[in-house]
Amino acid sequence: MAGPVPGALAHRYAALPPPLRVALAALRLEVLLGDPRDAANPYSLPALAAPAPARAGSATSAGAAASAGAGEGRAGRAGALLTAAGLGQIRAADQRVRALRPLLRRDLALGHAAVTWGGPGMPPARHVRGQAAESSPVSSSVPAALLGPAALVAAAGSVLRQAALAVAGRGGGEPALRQWQPVLAAAFADLLACESLTCVALRRPAAPAPGPGVGLLGAVAGYVVPTVLADVLAQLGLVLAECGHGPASTGGGMLAKLTRDLPLAGVDAAGAAHWQARLARALPALAAEEPRTAHRGPVPAPFRLAGPPAPAGVAAGGEQGDGHTPDGHESGRLTPDGHEPGGHEPGGYGVGGDDSVVLSGLLRAGAARADGGDGGDGGDTGRAALGALARRLLTEQRALRRPCRTAGADPGAVAARALADRQALLWLAAAVLGVREAADDGRGLFLGGTHWALLALTGIAGRLGVPLPGPAPDPRAPVWAELAGRVRRGVDCDVYATRLLW
């Protein structure tokens, strides 16, 4: 391929296009997995959602045990498909997860098992938290603490798509179906928020923080993603059931299978509690510093999902010797927009440093927009509403600083865990603000608009019990329109707006 063709292919692949090698690997994997609607295909959605045959005398966990046993069977074959698709050539963690998404969105347990599969006689890794999944060349640069949340986001997106098909595919004019449109819009916004946080965590260099082998953002993702998406899955189950899609349907079967598989990927309630305890122990140190001013200048590189990835993958896989990573990105120099690859800004600070300071700075920057501090158009009601909500959340974060300083005395106490929960949700809000601002680059991307971010922050405020700042435009209708449009056009429910092959 020569000339502009590779770049054009990548741009047709997604609204936020990946490097060509990543797009080709993902497309190859999608082809190898086959048609997801063909029940005769062992990797189709109906086949994967079908309950495992129960054996006489089996325990209630027979479904989970059957999924784990797939390490020597279907998961092993899927692991071989990852190698055949060229996943081992992709070094950067965020891009590797992006190339894995065709498998991850089909089945949580199969995707997690195949990625950590080590070959014949080596079962897939289970319940590995805070360590890199080193058993497979496909997963070596992706921390296991983030592999679970990334897989859960992808699998939940497939269930959301099934629910949206059920509502939009039978004629959106029916009042009985229209009532679920705002519910699915909120679920879509929550999913984008969780994926934003996970992507940022994957794009930053690892740094010492609440747990070994994972930074603060990874610990927050390990807790907040399964916690928030547990509510999302419950809402999707309600929508599917009310639309007549029970456990025997493809969507209902996918949801039931996903729920059974949560412990295998460490994204069940126990997995979330593990990371919540880590955060609770770290609260005093994380509350020790706060930026005195709002973050100014370009958003740090890890939040710019369309930009080159952070060099964490370079450390895992090495460089080619020509100053480029195997993904085709330059290393050891500034990116074209004048930033260091790790997200540091010359003369400033980046996510490679104190994550809590950067996230608080982004929350401050979002709040400053409520006062017109960014010099924007005061007539933009969406931006004004988003800024006002960010200011309300910033006030909540300031109120938590004093109790967080003493929370480490008993990190297992209910109060300490509650503080960790609230602080994690505030960091999720900061990640949403950072990703949205970075995507607001004049191209008119949905990710750069205010609707999904306003809806996501509204949900976060509701979970915190923080009152909304006042009258604001309702973002649910435009967010639902985006979701319904993606379902019709064959576009994934991800932050990149990836076009589906099948």
Side-chain angles (χ1 to χ4, degrees), residues 11 38 52 79 101 121 129 189 193 198 228 251 389 392 395 421 428 442 449 470 484:
H11 279 80
D38 181 6
R101 190 173 174 100
R129 299 188 180 103
T198 304
V228 171
L389 187 48
R392 185 62 57 88
T395 301
D421 172 78
L428 174 64

Side-chain angles (χ1 to χ4, degrees), residues 4-205:
V5 175
L9 186 151
H11 279 80
R12 288 196 297 270
Y13 177 72
L16 291 179
L20 177 62
R21 177 175 296 185
V22 177
L24 291 176
L27 288 170
R28 281 194 294 265
L29 179 57
E30 192 107 54
V31 170
L32 291 170
L33 289 171
D35 188 345
R37 295 160 297 192
D38 181 6
N41 173 16
Y43 300 114
S44 69
L45 296 178
L48 292 170
R55 295 176 299 190
S58 63
T60 56
S61 60
S67 297
E72 290 296 327
R74 189 160 54 187
R77 294 192 296 272
L81 295 183
L82 301 185
T83 302
L87 270 292
Q89 303 175 23
I90 302 172
R91 309 296 189 189
D94 66 317
Q95 300 299 328
R96 184 167 294 192
V97 166
R98 190 169 180 182
L100 285 167
R101 190 173 174 100
L103 177 59
L104 299 179
R105 67 173 168 245
R106 294 202 186 194
D107 187 271
L108 175 67
L110 177 62
H112 192 269
V115 170
T116 57
W117 181 71
M122 296 180 63
R126 296 179 64 188
H127 296 293
V128 180
R129 299 188 180 103
Q131 302 174 11
E134 299 288 353
S135 60
S136 164
V138 173
S139 65
S140 58
S141 71
V142 182
L146 291 170
L147 178 58
L152 175 57
V153 165
S158 293
V159 180
L160 172 61
R161 182 175 177 80
Q162 292 293 318
L165 280 168
V167 172
R170 289 171 46 192
E174 297 183 28
L177 296 179
R178 280 204 310 270
Q179 66 175 322
W180 301 116
Q181 294 177 1
V183 175
L184 294 181
F188 185 29
D190 286 342
L191 195 69
L192 292 176
C194 289
E195 188 177 9
S196 296
L197 174 65
T198 304
C199 288
V200 172
L202 286 165
R203 289 174 54 82
R204 61 168 310 284

Side-chain angles (χ1 to χ4, degrees), residues 17 30 43 48 86 96 133 155 226 244 258 266 290 341 345 349 358 360 370 415 417 425 442 444 456 475 479 494:
E30 192 107 54
Y43 300 114
L48 292 170
R96 184 167 294 192
L258 173 56
E290 181 183 6
E345 300 165 34
Y349 60 84
V358 175
S360 295
R417 288 179 174 267
L425 287 170
V479 173
D494 62 343

